[in-house]
Amino acid sequence: MLSSDSSLKVKFKTQALIYPVLQALDFHTPSYQQNQAVPILYRPYMARFWLQYLGADSALEPLLLVNNHSSLDQPSISATTRSKLNWTALLPAERKKDFKPVVKKKGSPGVVDKVPGLIDVRAAPLLAEQGVLGKTPKAYVMTCEFDVLRDDGLMYGRRLRDAGVEVTSDHYEDGFHGCMVFANLPMMSSVGQRSMRNYIHWLDQNL
């Protein structure tokens, strides 16, 4: 929205995202499937956090966890919207592995009508139109292999590149959600130090 507002005199110069949360329609991306029980961010937590963030009924959590809210019979979710988080097309083969999409033909009707924030691009930037993404500033996107949010970030980076945005993808094969906080004592780790150092370096070079 800010990138598209021509009346603004001050524009964002960069977007620097650390294991970002970018969509809430598919809780069965390969990273959600692979890391659903990996500390510190478990898959049920993310469904719960989304509902809390959007001010929705927590009783909907089981529906989100099985993708009932994004079933094919939900009229509020168009084919165009679904294509924007189609990980079978947006992720490289080494991330997809042998995981299969979880798409329900029939789900729980009206969930998106009750919680419209699920498809609001202000909450879920991955669902933005290509033309809107193309107006956003150059990006830094950090992702970690052992994180349910990994594929959100990877798909966003891919869509930004397709829209003509300069993207630095910083992926850590030994990383996990929250690892950057372990850059200093008393809980220092190698991946924490590397991720913090590379993030600061990128900011120094691009701000």
Side-chain angles (χ1 to χ4, degrees):
M1 289 179 65
L2 293 171
S3 295
S4 301
D5 188 344
S6 59
S7 68
L8 292 177
K9 294 182 179 180
V10 178
K11 297 285 188 177
F12 279 108
K13 188 175 182 180
T14 65
Q15 48 182 320
L17 311 176
I18 303 172
Y19 20 78
V21 183
L22 299 165
Q23 62 87 25
L25 292 183
D26 189 358
F27 287 93
H28 288 270
T29 62
S31 61
Y32 265 114
Q33 294 186 52
Q34 173 183 299
N35 302 308
Q36 59 184 307
V38 174
I40 58 172
L41 187 61
Y42 304 105
R43 190 163 64 94
Y45 289 4
M46 279 310 307
R48 192 175 314 157
F49 292 158
W50 267 105
L51 292 171
Q52 291 173 343
Y53 177 64
L54 297 174
D57 186 352
S58 61
L60 296 173
E61 181 183 325
L63 305 184
L64 268 62
L65 287 174
V66 295
N67 280 358
N68 266 19
H69 65 306
S70 57
S71 56
L72 296 177
D73 61 344
Q74 299 279 355
S76 299
I77 307 175
S78 67
T80 300
T81 296
R82 295 180 189 280
S83 69
K84 295 168 184 172
L85 48 83
N86 176 14
W87 58 261
T88 64
L90 293 171
L91 291 179
E94 65 268 21
R95 305 301 168 203
K96 292 184 285 190
K97 299 180 181 177
D98 294 323
F99 294 109
K100 305 297 181 185
V102 175
V103 181
K104 299 293 187 68
K105 290 184 178 180
K106 292 185 177 181
S108 305
V111 175
V112 174
D113 293 331
K114 295 176 184 175
V115 193
L118 291 168
I119 56 172
D120 190 323
V121 297
R122 293 172 298 179
L126 187 58
L127 305 183
E129 296 292 339
Q130 204 76 343
V132 174
L133 291 180
K135 294 177 182 178
T136 61
K138 60 184 173 182
Y140 173 95
V141 184
M142 174 185 162
T143 54
C144 295
E145 180 65 20
F146 303 106
D147 181 6
V148 292
L149 300 175
R150 180 197 71 198
D151 296 341
D152 282 24
L154 293 177
M155 288 191 287
Y156 186 64
R158 165 68 184 276
R159 292 206 60 223
L160 286 174
R161 287 192 189 92
D162 290 347
V165 177
E166 180 185 339
V167 179
T168 298
S169 274
D170 199 8
H171 181 74
Y172 293 90
E173 294 290 347
D174 57 343
F176 52 92
H177 189 82
C179 65
M180 191 182 283
V181 301
F182 298 103
N184 301 292
L185 293 172
M187 300 291 287
M188 185 182 295
S189 71
S190 171
V191 68
Q193 290 179 304
R194 281 181 281 121
S195 61
M196 178 69 78
R197 181 171 61 248
N198 292 340
Y199 179 62
I200 293 174
H201 177 74
W202 189 89
L203 292 175
D204 283 341
Q205 297 298 310
N206 291 278
L207 285 178

